Amino acid sequence: MISHLKENLRRYVLGVLFLVMCFVWYAVFIETSRTTLMVAFLDVGQGDSIFIEAPNGNQILIDGGPGAAVLRELHQVMPYYDRSIDVVIATHPDKDHIGGLVDVINRFAVSYFIEPGVLGTTEIFSALENSVDGHHIKKLTARRGMKIDLGDGVVLNILFPDRDVSRVKNTNDGSIVAILSYGTTNVMLTGDAPQSVEIRLVALDGKNLKSNILKLGHHGSRTSSNASFLGNVSPDYAIISAKLNNSYGHPHQEVLALLQKFKIPSIATYESGTIVFKS
């Protein structure tokens, strides 16, 4: 009887060790097989969240949507054993962009937190700031000219803000705008930046704004997507991050008409779910 129990125990231990080895080799395979840049526009409902992973595995999360849906979507694009994100960026303090970041910071080890310096007044903004401080995450303020080098030639360049935006009356006016570059591939990420910011970027950068992919500002609202800005970015695809039948009417018809005029195809999270590009 005792020898039978010992044999069962031995088989159980061997089985556990086998599963552990399978897990380890799976993790090694995944880590060594990464060869592409991935940019995922996460389906978080009426909000924004963008996950970026460089070929070497370094990662950035830009915004976290309005709530916990970001965790579900991250699990779809990250290895299940991965519990760290190198950089988290909050483009501005509106709930539909930062509502899910507290959950992210509580679940993942984050090295850097970047924000534009806009002073939020909501409870979720205070909770996010407290969570960042509580986890002793290094905090940086985004400014034009800042470069986040993920390695392997992947660089996120901050285009805006170019000034102190702590006292802006409309939080969108201080939204971070950045362009992700990898070889000849560029991705323009605009947060909720309004047309006034887009026009300023055209004056500052002109044709250097050219990008393969454009995340439309403010979920396709008419307050963003200036014609001159669209013309200079001239993307192959425009991404609309919004919820189906949302109360704001996003995307607005004026923006859709402008995309049609410029012959820019659009892809929306409310139709396609999470949208993943690889380069």
Side-chain angles (χ1 to χ4, degrees):
M1 179 67 176
I2 293 176
S3 62
H4 181 68
L5 289 174
K6 286 184 177 179
E7 179 63 20
N8 286 341
L9 179 61
R10 186 181 71 85
R11 291 179 178 177
Y12 174 77
V13 171
L14 288 175
V16 170
L17 289 175
F18 176 76
L19 291 175
V20 170
M21 288 301 297
C22 287
F23 172 83
V24 170
W25 282 109
Y26 173 78
V28 170
F29 173 77
I30 292 297
E31 293 299 319
T32 57
S33 63
R34 287 168 166 162
T35 59
T36 61
L37 168 69
M38 178 176 68
V39 182
F41 299 89
L42 305 181
D43 180 16
V44 292
Q46 184 61 22
D48 269 14
S49 189
I50 302 142
F51 177 74
I52 300 165
E53 184 175 73
N56 60 12
N58 290 334
Q59 301 159 337
I60 295 178
L61 179 68
I62 301 179
D63 291 332
V70 63
L71 297 178
R72 178 195 67 225
E73 297 304 317
L74 282 174
H75 290 321
Q76 301 300 315
V77 296
M78 297 176 68
Y80 63 85
Y81 55 83
D82 193 344
R83 288 295 179 268
S84 66
I85 297 175
D86 299 285
V87 182
V88 169
I89 298 175
T91 58
H92 62 298
D94 288 2
K95 182 180 178 181
D96 60 333
H97 290 252
I98 67 169
L101 289 183
V102 173
D103 288 329
V104 169
I105 288 171
N106 288 338
R107 298 286 186 90
F108 293 87
V110 176
S111 300
Y112 293 91
F113 178 75
I114 301 175
E115 59 186 355
V118 178
L119 298 179
T121 59
T122 62
E123 290 185 7
I124 189 62
F125 174 78
S126 298
L128 177 58
E129 294 291 304
N130 291 336
S131 185
V132 170
D133 293 339
H135 286 83
H136 307 290
I137 300 170
K138 187 172 182 180
K139 189 187 299 184
L140 301 172
T141 301
R143 284 294 179 269
R144 179 177 173 83
M146 180 185 294
K147 297 181 184 294
I148 303 168
D149 190 343
L150 290 179
D152 284 355
V154 180
V155 180
L156 185 72
N157 297 279
I158 305 297
L159 303 180
F160 190 85
D162 60 355
R163 64 178 82 93
D164 177 17
V165 291
S166 59
R167 301 294 177 180
V168 293
K169 293 183 179 179
N170 186 333
T171 53
N172 292 345
D173 292 342
S175 182
I176 294 174
V177 178
I179 186 168
L180 180 72
S181 298
Y182 179 47
T184 59
T185 299
N186 292 324
V187 182
M188 180 67 69
L189 305 168
T190 57
D192 277 0
Q195 290 197 32
S196 59
V197 170
E198 294 174 340
I199 292 170
R200 179 167 179 78
L201 290 177
V202 170
L204 290 172
D205 295 302
K207 296 188 182 303
N208 292 327
L209 300 174
K210 177 69 178 75
S211 301
N212 305 88
I213 302 165
L214 166 65
K215 201 265 337 158
L216 290 180
H218 203 179
H219 322 289
S221 169
R222 63 175 68 92
T223 59
S224 301
S225 299
N226 172 267
S228 178
F229 181 73
L230 275 183
N232 278 274
V233 176
S234 186
D236 300 316
Y237 295 98
I239 305 301
I240 302 168
S241 184
K243 181 180 180 181
L244 183 65
N245 299 324
N246 62 84
S247 60
Y248 304 97
H250 297 156
H252 289 149
Q253 288 301 315
E254 298 95 318
V255 174
L256 296 178
L258 198 57
L259 292 177
Q260 187 173 17
K261 177 181 177 181
F262 280 95
K263 297 181 180 179
I264 301 171
S266 63
I267 310 173
T269 57
Y270 57 79
E271 291 177 338
S272 302
T274 288
I275 302 161
V276 178
F277 288 90
K278 292 185 178 182
S279 174

